Amino acid sequence: MNLQLVFAITILFGIYYTTGTSLKHILRLKYKGFNVLVGFLAIFGLFHILAIIPTLLHLPFDLIAYRILPLVLMMAVIMTVVRFFYYRHYEFEKINKWLMITTLVFLSLYYLFDFIVFGDASFYLPLIKQNIGVEHVYLDGGSPWSGNPNLEIGYMRAFVTYELFVGSLASIFQVDSTIFSVNVMSALNLIIILTSWYSFFSHLFKKEVRGQNAYLLFLFMFICSNVTIHRVFHPLNAFNFMTNLYAGKTIYFYAVLPLFFIIINKVSKLTKGSLFIVLFALNLIVPGLTASSLFMQLILSLSVFAYFLLIRQPEDITLGKFLLSTLTPLSIHYLVMIFLRTFNHVGILMKMALLITAIFISVSSYYLVLNDGHILKTKKRIIRLGFIYIYTLIALISTGYFIYFLINHPLRWNYVGTFIQAHVRNGFNLIIFYAISILGMNYILKDDDREHQLSLIFFWLPIILVVLFLNPFTGFLTARLITSFSMYHRILYLFPLGYLAAYFLASKKQYKHLMIYIVLILFPGNSIFNDLRLMHHTDEHPYYRVDHDVVDVGHYFEKQDERFKIIGVTDITRGIRIISTNVELVIDEYDLRQREYNLYKDEDLLNLFLAVNDQAPLLIDDFKSVTSEYEIDKVVVYKNSAICMQLTYHGYEKETVGKYAIITLNHHP
């Protein structure tokens, strides 16, 4: 690997680790591990808060990249140095050999094999690149979604700080943003995820060796009892881990949520301490990683609050502090205002209801806290009835949306067929996984209370999530808020069943049973690495992780003095924008995804795209008409394709770059 990339990984890892260690000591957090994650969240969180205003005001990118981020990094270093000299020693936690070995193995696999699959990478990497070197941040930031918010397909592409954070880091280290994301951020995120998993299980077990065994069992199940297809109903789906390791959502799904599970499990027993401050800060920060976490955190908080109302009633002051540290920061987040403005079909009544709900939550929270746990029964009953109103509101809105969806969106049987096919293919894995999870829930409920109080996260949380948010009625609205109905699987990350299964297997003292479970998991012969190819067996560029010729085409456009509107074959469509900002695609990856779900409307452009890919006949008159109408400057096709020969026959000029031909359309012969 390039020494410049190794240097960036080493420096950032050191800053994350030392900052996290210092902050844990200052806040007196007694959790084992999580140092790297805490350090990353502290630096990213401060950047997130400081960068919001200049981002929303469309101020120059250089102000954020070269002023705010260096200031944040400098503050992190100063805090670490001050702590070091103040206490005159620096306590580094013991590094477990198994954690080190597994981290090195995963890093080696990442750089040896083609982890990144273009599709989702075509969404996120261009977003990072487009922010660098432009006069203003988020030029198309009028709407937070990539497409029409009334469609089922929507990806948050603006006002998410993580992409701006990565682009700023790349600028500081003077590395191309795509190379930096794919190599440096992926390595750092992988380290954060693995250390967070190890820290999670170390916290659950008093004996280090049992936590280590649980960690190894978890990795075994994650690799051999998992899927990399995002439509499969698996609560710890490896799709994002394998294809979007550099993304903010990947850190949230695989590293931040385990920390949240530990915090919410502990918070029900506390009335004082800094844990509520940490919870407040995290809820304010994590929407900057991925916009969908705003709703996922809201779902998680409402589920825990339902547990407090129905199953275990903590002290009033604990309840108030929990509301202040969860629902309040989420309801005041600027993303809420953006989403409410975007969802025009929601209606004024629902917006008013949400506003009243937010005010009620804040007032109730302060009242519970300021009264220091002493509240008259009548007033407590009013607060309880108020929250029953909130859940009733959710139920009514969800039911209405369910009816609206069925009326306005006829069932697409091709999608249902794909859904069933994916589950049949992975059926055995899913059956074994859920069987072990159910046995684990039974173990937690009956046997585990003697050692740990884990029933909230491992028993009640999955049940409450299903009852409130994943039933046939609320599931539609829940998935729509997270991104779209086709992305329903994201809520499954809130189910800690993968961690529960590993905890259960590690807690079993009957090794015969453990061996039976291991054999059953291994029986299908599945692995998340099954479809990987060695990098040197592919035509991919080692740093960009894109086909060499696509990189060359991207560099061709990047060297030009003007911006071109183009249409190209699928490989170009998915890879060109991560290399060059000098192109505007008339059909991009968003359109391809809409086409996959039969949502793409422009038949003329679609027919042109099919012709460019040699999937439909080319009528030269139609070609001239459509390319003129959309003012297309160039067409990128395979140089040996039928359309290339046909266009050159009709007199169009071409330039050859690798296996591609770039056809110029500045005039029609």
Side-chain angles (χ1 to χ4, degrees), residues 254-274:
Y254 300 107
V256 176
L257 281 176
L259 178 60
F260 265 106
F261 292 145
I262 288 178
I263 292 176
I264 62 176
N265 190 70
K266 196 176 181 69
V267 82
S268 63
K269 311 176 187 109
L270 294 178
T271 56
K272 298 180 180 180
S274 58

Side-chain angles (χ1 to χ4, degrees), residues 643-652:
I643 185 174
C644 180
M645 291 184 283
Q646 188 174 355
L647 290 176
T648 53
Y649 172 79
H650 284 282
Y652 289 98

Side-chain angles (χ1 to χ4, degrees), residues 199-214:
S199 302
F200 178 83
F201 290 108
S202 296
H203 177 78
L204 296 188
F205 291 97
K206 294 179 180 178
K207 295 183 179 179
E208 182 181 356
V209 66
R210 294 183 71 185
Q212 172 185 291
N213 293 340

Side-chain angles (χ1 to χ4, degrees), residues 20 23 41 91 118 121 132 160 186 227 265 286 324 375 420 502 554 567 572 591 649:
L23 197 59
L41 289 176
E91 299 176 1
F118 273 83
I132 298 177
V160 178
S186 293
V227 291
N265 190 70
V286 293
L324 279 177
I375 299 180
I420 294 173
I567 187 169
I572 293 294
D591 300 320
Y649 172 79

Side-chain angles (χ1 to χ4, degrees), residues 253-492:
F253 294 152
Y254 300 107
V256 176
L257 281 176
L259 178 60
F260 265 106
F261 292 145
I262 288 178
I263 292 176
I264 62 176
N265 190 70
K266 196 176 181 69
V267 82
S268 63
K269 311 176 187 109
L270 294 178
T271 56
K272 298 180 180 180
S274 58
L275 201 60
F276 292 103
I277 299 175
V278 174
L279 198 57
F280 182 94
L282 287 175
N283 278 297
L284 202 59
I285 291 169
V286 293
L289 292 173
T290 173
S292 60
S293 67
L294 179 74
F295 298 106
M296 293 176 71
Q297 287 299 115
L298 179 62
I299 290 167
L300 190 60
S301 300
L302 287 173
S303 299
V304 175
F305 190 75
Y307 168 82
F308 288 154
L309 283 180
L310 303 174
I311 291 122
R312 177 176 178 173
Q313 297 183 10
E315 294 184 23
D316 294 331
I317 190 171
T318 301
L319 200 60
K321 287 184 175 180
F322 175 77
L323 290 173
L324 279 177
S325 57
T326 55
L327 300 184
T328 303
L330 292 172
S331 62
I332 65 173
H333 203 282
Y334 70 95
L335 281 175
V336 174
M337 299 299 105
I338 295 173
F339 276 107
L340 286 179
R341 186 187 65 181
T342 305
F343 293 134
N344 296 320
H345 61 281
V346 165
I348 188 65
L349 291 178
M350 179 177 172
K351 292 180 181 179
M352 289 295 294
L354 291 174
L355 179 62
I356 293 171
T357 300
I359 294 172
F360 175 78
I361 290 171
S362 300
V363 172
S364 299
S365 305
Y366 283 109
Y367 190 81
L368 287 167
V369 173
L370 293 176
N371 279 270
D372 199 23
H374 302 291
I375 299 180
L376 296 175
K377 290 184 177 180
T378 53
K379 294 181 179 179
K380 187 185 292 187
R381 192 179 299 118
I382 292 173
I383 293 176
R384 179 183 284 268
L385 289 173
F387 281 99
I388 291 174
Y389 144 78
I390 292 174
Y391 291 110
T392 304
L393 181 67
I394 292 173
L396 291 174
I397 293 172
S398 300
T399 304
Y401 190 82
F402 175 70
I403 297 170
Y404 167 83
F405 188 92
L406 290 181
I407 293 173
N408 293 278
H409 297 79
L411 198 60
R412 295 188 296 276
W413 292 106
N414 62 329
Y415 176 80
V416 175
T418 305
F419 178 86
I420 294 173
Q421 183 182 8
H423 281 77
V424 169
R425 189 171 63 182
N426 298 278
F428 186 86
N429 274 13
L430 292 172
I431 290 171
I432 296 300
F433 176 82
Y434 280 108
I436 295 174
S437 300
I438 292 171
L439 290 173
M441 292 177 71
N442 182 65
Y443 171 76
I444 289 292
L445 192 63
K446 289 186 176 181
D447 305 322
D448 195 59
D449 280 347
R450 291 173 299 178
E451 185 176 356
H452 291 289
Q453 299 280 334
L454 297 174
S455 59
L456 167 56
I457 59 171
F458 281 157
F459 183 82
W460 292 111
L461 181 60
I463 292 175
I464 293 171
L465 283 169
V466 169
V467 172
L468 287 182
F469 298 106
L470 208 60
N471 60 70
F473 293 97
T474 58
F476 282 83
L477 181 61
T478 300
R480 174 68 182 90
L481 288 175
I482 291 175
T483 49
S484 60
F485 181 63
S486 61
M487 302 294 285
Y488 67 88
H489 67 278
R490 286 194 179 181
I491 191 179
L492 298 178

